[in-house]
Amino acid sequence: QGGNNAGHTVVVDGKEYDFHLFPSGIINPKAISFIGKRILEFQISKLYRLAQLKSCFSLCLLTGLKDWEKRLIISDRAHIVFDFHQAVDGLQEVQRQAQEGKNIGTTKKGIGPTYSSKAARTGLRICDLLSDFDEFSSRFKNLAQQYKSMFPTLEIDIEGQLKKLKGYAEKIRPMVRDGVYFMYEALHGSPKKILVEGANAALLDIDFGTYPFVTSSNCTVGGVCTGLGVPPQHVGDVYGVVKAYTTRVGIGAFPTEQINEIGDLLQSRGHEWGVTTGRKRRCGWLDLVILKYAHMINGFTALALTKLDILDVLDEIKIGVAYKLGGKRIPYFP
């Protein structure tokens, strides 16, 4: 699902759900939902902070999802986003704006800083939280001090955070499994239908997207293997999901964007608001160049074309078919 920097709006039987951490399959009482290790943006507090009506737990209470905790499994390899990761995310955006005159437009959910901790090998995972808490506390304090030295204005209630984390640990312990073994059993046991759901778009991939205006993970199909420990030969059909027009939240390249009445119409008719940020989505004509580029990387078996009806009121529909670079038409995404 990608973590709470991304959101999915799902409508089932007339009820609307906004998911950030839960896989959409949590609605189905017959499905087991698994949060893999690629979901390092997993925030324990989101499951149990009842004061926030948008948190997963309270959302389930409000919408009548029953026994969700009995069909949710969390990988022990999932990294944890701490409150100071989120605070640092905001401070870094302020720095970029001051130094470069522009920011990346992150959701300020702490995703980038958490990936930085992971790459620096100072991050902490669910397995750390559930094993030796004294060792976890020591490493947590070291990580917090590292960030405080980089950002002197950063305030961290270390003891208060550790107390909360200890409480969360016992609540989620029954849900945690060895993710690699869980997936191996699922693939090699009795026949099952396995659907892997990704969040964020191909053009937001850290390696293949419109860098640096991207997310911090691989949200292309390779993330199935690296995120779940699934061997490539087990990946079957790959479904790309594309709107009949192109949208983007935040800044970054957008050649077919319509900053005019067409863009306004697509935005209003399509209800194009970011599920996580509430920001208006930028809208424009369908860009076949980036769609083909996404296909080069992902190898789609089929495309699910959505929101075609939003274009019903238009007499003329335009589609981006090629890019020019230096006045010459090019066959690739530059």
Side-chain angles (χ1 to χ4, degrees):
Q1 181 72 340
N4 78 324
N5 62 324
H8 286 173
T9 298
V10 182
V11 181
V12 176
D13 294 332
K15 285 186 179 180
E16 184 174 306
Y17 305 82
D18 286 342
F19 290 139
H20 300 273
L21 291 173
F22 278 163
S24 300
I26 198 73
I27 300 169
N28 185 347
K30 297 179 181 178
I32 298 296
S33 292
F34 174 57
I35 296 178
K37 77 94 187 164
R38 178 58 74 183
I39 315 306
L40 107 171
E41 305 88 357
F42 177 73
Q43 286 178 287
I44 306 168
S45 58
K46 283 287 179 185
L47 285 171
Y48 289 98
R49 198 179 294 157
L50 291 175
Q52 292 189 352
L53 293 183
K54 288 186 179 179
S55 74
C56 288
F57 187 63
S58 49
L59 179 64
C60 290
L61 291 177
L62 289 168
T63 52
L65 281 182
K66 295 179 180 178
D67 298 326
W68 61 268
E69 68 279 5
K70 294 178 182 177
R71 55 182 189 271
L72 179 68
I73 293 172
I74 301 163
S75 172
D76 58 352
R77 290 165 172 80
H79 279 249
I80 305 170
V81 175
F82 298 115
D83 285 355
F84 58 75
H85 281 130
Q86 295 187 74
V88 166
D89 206 354
L91 290 170
Q92 287 177 331
E93 283 286 72
V94 171
Q95 276 188 354
R96 292 185 192 106
Q97 189 67 46
Q99 293 170 1
E100 304 171 29
K102 60 181 178 181
N103 54 35
I104 288 176
T106 80
T107 57
K108 299 178 184 177
K109 298 293 183 181
I111 309 309
T114 307
Y115 269 101
S116 297
S117 297
K118 176 190 174 186
R121 289 158 291 186
T122 56
L124 288 160
R125 302 185 291 177
I126 297 295
C127 56
D128 301 312
L129 176 64
L130 299 188
S131 53
D132 185 334
F133 194 77
D134 288 338
E135 172 69 14
F136 175 87
S137 299
S138 176
R139 290 175 60 190
F140 177 88
K141 290 174 183 176
N142 288 340
L143 183 59
Q145 289 300 330
Q146 285 176 21
Y147 277 111
K148 282 176 70 71
S149 66
M150 288 188 283
F151 300 91
T153 60
L154 183 64
E155 295 182 6
I156 305 174
D157 178 8
I158 291 177
E159 294 305 324
Q161 288 292 302
L162 285 170
K163 185 178 179 181
K164 283 183 182 179
L165 287 161
K166 194 169 187 177
Y168 295 145
E170 297 315 307
K171 288 188 172 78
I172 68 165
R173 190 180 293 276
M175 305 179 203
V176 177
R177 304 256 191 98
D178 182 301
V180 173
Y181 186 64
F182 172 79
M183 285 306 303
Y184 181 84
E185 283 196 309
L187 290 164
H188 295 89
S190 58
K192 297 176 182 65
K193 291 182 179 178
I194 298 174
L195 175 68
V196 181
E197 177 182 41
N200 291 313
L203 271 290
L204 293 178
D205 186 272
I206 185 71
D207 292 311
F208 300 109
T210 50
Y211 190 89
F213 308 107
V214 293
T215 192
S216 300
S217 63
N218 291 114
C219 42
T220 40
V221 74
V224 175
C225 302
T226 57
L228 296 172
V230 172
Q233 65 264 34
H234 285 289
V235 177
D237 293 327
V238 179
Y239 297 103
V241 182
V242 60
K243 294 173 186 172
Y245 51 94
T246 302
T247 65
R248 176 162 197 151
V249 174
I251 55 181
F254 193 166
T256 62
E257 183 175 13
Q258 297 298 295
I259 309 174
N260 52 30
E261 65 277 6
I262 294 292
D264 292 341
L265 182 143
L266 295 172
Q267 198 279 327
S268 59
R269 276 182 60 84
H271 303 287
E272 296 294 350
W273 301 89
V275 177
T276 299
T277 62
R279 290 180 291 184
K280 275 187 179 182
R281 293 194 182 106
R282 297 158 62 194
C283 299
W285 300 117
L286 179 63
D287 187 332
L288 291 185
V289 178
I290 58 174
L291 183 56
K292 183 178 180 181
Y293 175 67
H295 176 55
M296 290 177 190
I297 297 164
N298 292 286
F300 299 128
T301 310
L303 286 175
L305 182 66
T306 68
K307 296 199 169 184
L308 191 59
D309 58 319
I310 302 304
L311 305 176
D312 281 353
V313 296
L314 296 169
D315 295 323
E316 181 181 63
I317 297 169
K318 294 184 180 182
I319 296 175
V321 295
Y323 286 6
K324 285 182 178 179
L325 190 63
K328 292 183 179 180
R329 191 160 166 157
I330 55 174
Y332 57 90
F333 179 74

